Amino acid sequence: MQIVTKGVAGTMESSDIIVRIEPAEQKGIELTLTSAVMQQFGKQIEKVIRETLAELGVENAVVNAVDKGALDCTVAARVKAAAYRAAQCEDYTWRTKQ
Amino acid sequence: MKRLRRSMLFVPGNNPGMIRDAHIYGSDSIMFDLEDSVSINEKDAARFLVYNALSNLKYGNKELVVRINDLSSGLGIQDLEAIVRAKPDVIRLPKTECAQDVIDCEREIERIEREAGIPVGTTGMMAAIESGRGVLNAMEIALSSKRLIGIALGAEDYVTDLKTVRSDGTELFFARCMILNAARAAGIDAIDTVYSDVNNEEGFVKEARLIRQLGFDGKSVINPRQIPPLHQVFMPSKKDLTKARAVIEAAEEAERRGSGVISLNGKMIDKPIVTRARYLLDLAEAASVTPVEEV
């Protein structure tokens, strides 16, 4: 998935996370994360963000995320929404729940 | 035991906090909403959120319902592509005008189930009726699909269609009776509309008593505070429960004797009374699982 513009998803409400994804000038994922629970869950949130981007095939992007205590499934949902918007793509892929 | 649907809690599909906590309030069903509570610019984000919640979070034995956007909007089909694969119990179709609306939606659900390797027929449906035309077609809607678990009244759009506003319920009486009788004729549930004034508990309880007396199975609620008083309204009295237990005991005794005639205290008990007694005991059992708070 090619990031072509700026895409934002999420809110600053409690239990949510706001994710901004933009095209990168350099290769790779440049991630900036701010969280109220950085000490306890910072690494886990970063892991979910990076894994979700990898699943979507996003290799190059500047990602800025401000977390307000989101669950992993919320983080992944917001990253996907932001990435699809930033890729200007509506060709969604949905897996069947196991 | 038949699944109870006394309360169906609306949860806005783009609110992660409410989606996370939806199961703690004791409603019988949780309805994640992708339609009216989600702005047009956030439809995609809400779809990801609800899909991920259904795929990852545990909601115990709650019935999980997703209200999709109507198919004519173009958004409904995108909702189905995602949500059917996340395997909710029920898809709620809004603004149902006629049987064809249900049939069209069912065709798409069946196609997606096949593509996704989900056994055909797994996904239940319910249809919300929100217009004069829909009310007049309630019977054909209720009979339009074996997937339907119930039909519901959506009052806000309905009163707008009638060119009136909500008041004491007089304006909804015809629609409620049509929907209720259509549901009963089809052997499915009838779910009443929301009561929007969350600060008016007295008005809410009055409406809940009315719809229970009419025969509805339950009501949609928009605030968790409405759940305990609603369940209280549906809770049978001690006197009714004592009588119901006696009726069931008499019915079981008659069955043991191989007799088709049930009698209690010298009076013959008809089959509908046994059915009613079982329903009351089911309600009481459900209340013991989700205790009713004093109101």
Side-chain angles (χ1 to χ4, degrees), chain A residues 9-11 14-17 69 71-74 76-78 80-81 84-85 90 92-98, chain B residues 14 16-17 20 41-42 44-49 51-57 78 81-82 85-87 116 118:
Chain A
T11 70
S14 174
S15 305
D16 205 347
I17 180 171
L71 297 176
D72 285 359
C73 64
T74 302
R78 294 314 195 189
K80 282 187 181 178
Y84 272 95
R85 288 172 178 181
E90 292 190 2
Y92 305 110
T93 304
W94 305 100
R95 287 190 190 149
T96 304
K97 180 184 174 185
Q98 295 304 312
Chain B
N14 203 34
R20 184 195 62 195
N41 296 328
E42 293 297 326
D44 56 339
R47 201 179 297 125
F48 277 117
L49 209 50
Y51 169 87
N52 272 15
L54 288 169
S55 299
N56 293 284
L57 302 184
Q78 293 185 55
E81 291 286 356
R85 288 177 168 83
K87 300 181 182 173
I118 299 168

